[in-house]
Amino acid sequence: MTSSASAAGRAPRRSLARRPWRAWVTASAGLGATVLALALLSGRWSFVAAMAVAMLLIAVGWVLLLGLPSPRGTTAVLAGAGVILLGSSVLSQELRESLLPGAVALAMIVEFIHQLARRDGRPRLVESVSASITGIALLTSGASVLLLAESPEGVAGGVVVFGAVALASLADLGLRYGSGGPISGVVALILGAVGAGVLGAAFGIALPVWFVAAAGALAGGSSYALRQAQSVLPTLFGRRAQLASGVASVLATGVLAYALTWLTPGWPHGLS
């Protein structure tokens, strides 16, 4: 009895599985954030076009990434949600702000109609609904940056956040060389803070440097965390799934760009 207990006590602890590095995930995150930042600098319609491509990549890859049932219907719902959210870009700033919540609500209704119309017995209903709603939330986060594209403060806020995400994506390389996990997470926070601090100073954001750097750290760290949470998915081997994972980690930070701009003094729709 004693010897067996002693042997059990000496049994080695099982280590966590090493998270694989996916080059297309890192590339799509870094390049996607860079393209969105440059498009935002180029003008409203350039940003709309870049955002449309990003939303399309999520629409065609989200089902594969999460292995969802009813793939055609879910893909159509996400594509339709992207069209609904991007449709507001042809309206004025005031109308876009007032109609965005309605566009999100309409996209949610379309998702539930899709579930009612399914003829496959609705297997894994909760998983399908929750994953689709999460995809719509990511698209909405990206679409919120459309509200920033016509003001200098909004452009600066978006560029700062997307630039921080692009720089923080380099922390993914820690997985490639065996130093992932908490170490790479800390590196992502640092890179995000440095990138946001430098860009914030370059664009003259009227907020304390430490505050802008903290926003960059939050953007870079949260984007990195989302990619790492998805890195262990057994479905993350196809090209479309990897692109969706990387782009999703960029669009997820759109709401942070909006919040940073809203807190910037001088932005006409934020704090005075």
Side-chain angles (χ1 to χ4, degrees):
M1 187 74 169
T2 304
S3 60
S4 61
S6 175
R10 292 195 302 269
R13 296 180 178 178
R14 296 182 62 183
S15 59
L16 295 175
R18 182 169 177 264
R19 295 178 183 271
W21 177 65
R22 308 288 188 182
W24 281 97
V25 175
T26 301
S28 58
L31 184 60
T34 302
V35 169
L36 287 175
L38 293 176
L40 196 56
L41 287 171
S42 299
R44 171 183 170 187
W45 294 112
S46 296
F47 184 73
V48 170
M51 185 59 67
V53 173
M55 289 183 173
L56 179 62
L57 290 175
I58 290 183
V60 301
W62 194 246
V63 171
L64 299 176
L65 174 64
L66 300 181
L68 300 176
S70 186
R72 292 181 181 177
T74 303
T75 299
V77 166
L78 292 177
V83 172
I84 292 171
L85 292 169
L86 285 176
S88 64
S89 61
V90 303
L91 304 174
S92 65
Q93 176 77 15
E94 292 73 16
L95 284 176
R96 271 180 281 162
E97 289 183 341
S98 61
L99 292 181
L100 182 60
V104 177
L106 179 59
M108 299 289 187
I109 292 172
V110 170
E111 162 55 22
F112 284 107
I113 292 175
H114 158 242
Q115 295 298 332
L116 291 173
R118 286 174 60 182
R119 299 182 180 276
D120 57 357
R122 301 190 189 96
R124 300 157 59 196
L125 177 62
V126 174
E127 179 183 351
S128 179
V129 172
S130 60
S132 298
I133 296 300
T134 301
I136 293 173
L138 290 171
L139 298 180
T140 304
S141 178
S144 67
V145 187
L146 291 171
L147 303 176
L148 312 178
E150 293 183 339
S151 68
E153 296 85 3
V155 170
V159 170
V160 163
V161 168
F162 288 140
V165 172
L167 188 59
S169 68
L170 296 176
D172 289 10
L173 297 177
L175 298 176
R176 171 67 176 83
Y177 298 104
S179 60
I183 296 178
S184 292
V186 172
V187 172
L189 292 171
I190 295 174
L191 290 176
V194 171
V198 171
L199 288 172
F203 283 90
I205 291 184
L207 288 169
V209 175
W210 66 266
F211 188 88
V212 177
L218 180 59
S222 60
S223 179
Y224 171 85
L226 180 57
R227 290 192 298 274
Q228 300 319 301
Q230 296 174 342
S231 67
V232 295
L233 292 175
T235 53
L236 194 63
F237 59 85
R239 186 73 52 83
R240 284 190 289 169
Q242 292 184 37
L243 291 175
S245 177
V247 173
S249 71
V250 178
L251 295 194
T253 62
V255 67
L256 295 177
Y258 184 86
L260 181 65
T261 304
W262 190 79
L263 293 170
T264 301
W267 193 51
H269 305 279
L271 298 178
S272 58

